[in-house]
Structure formats: C-alpha cells, structure tokens
Amino acid sequence: MLYCVEMEVVVPPGTDPDTLARLKADEKARAQDLQRRGQWLHLWRVAGRYANVSVFDVESHDALHDILSTLPLFPFMTLRVTPLARHPSSLA
C-alpha cells in the first residue's frame, strides 16, 4: 500500500543541542535504512520549513504506524497521512 506522509518537526525551545544533533543523526540513519529496504520510496524537503513530504510502500496502516512511531524525531512531529491509489490516467 502506498501512503503520502507529510511530516513537520517542531523542536521544543531549550532542547539540548547535543541531544538534538544525536536525534537528527539517528533520524537520518533510520530514514536511509527504510529507503534501502524499499519502504520509504520518496523523501522530499519542503523548502523553507523543517518539514518533508514522503511516499511509503508498506503492507498496512498498522505497519506504517509502526514505522513512523520508531522515527527518532517522532515525538516532535506533526504528521498527515494520506493513503494513495493508482490514478486511471497514469501511464505508470
């Protein structure tokens, strides 16, 4: 199943810079692992915001939830998830 996931990160003021740097590094490693596994198909930065638009390919809503909730920055994220379906006019 394909999902469009919009993620926005809001880090609380006063967050320790070293803790934040570690979380960002862990987030990058997790995102790249999921991409290598073929579950995180696309990852696009939203210009001017600490946000991204991503496409995931996983077997179920529960599987997507499990993945998203394991992201190191998950506690600081606002997420919007949209299930996707093939468009009848698409050539792909």
Side-chain angles (χ1 to χ4, degrees):
M1 298 178 75
L2 294 175
Y3 297 89
C4 176
V5 180
E6 299 173 60
M7 304 178 201
E8 181 128 19
V9 178
V10 178
V11 178
T15 299
D16 176 64
D18 292 334
T19 300
L20 183 57
R22 188 175 63 255
L23 285 170
K24 286 180 177 182
D26 292 347
E27 183 84 13
K28 181 177 181 177
R30 179 72 173 131
Q32 290 178 345
D33 178 57
L34 290 165
Q35 290 172 74
R36 285 185 196 96
R37 293 172 184 252
Q39 294 175 300
W40 197 328
L41 300 182
H42 299 280
L43 174 55
W44 296 95
R45 173 179 286 158
V46 177
R49 295 176 24 214
Y50 192 2
N52 73 69
V53 175
S54 297
V55 176
F56 287 83
D57 186 4
V58 295
E59 61 273 6
S60 67
H61 303 325
D62 291 332
L64 179 64
H65 179 78
D66 290 344
I67 286 172
L68 296 175
S69 64
T70 65
L71 296 174
L73 290 171
F74 179 77
F76 308 122
M77 289 181 182
T78 299
L79 302 168
R80 186 166 74 181
V81 176
T82 306
L84 300 174
R86 297 274 176 217
H87 193 285
S89 298
S90 175
L91 293 176

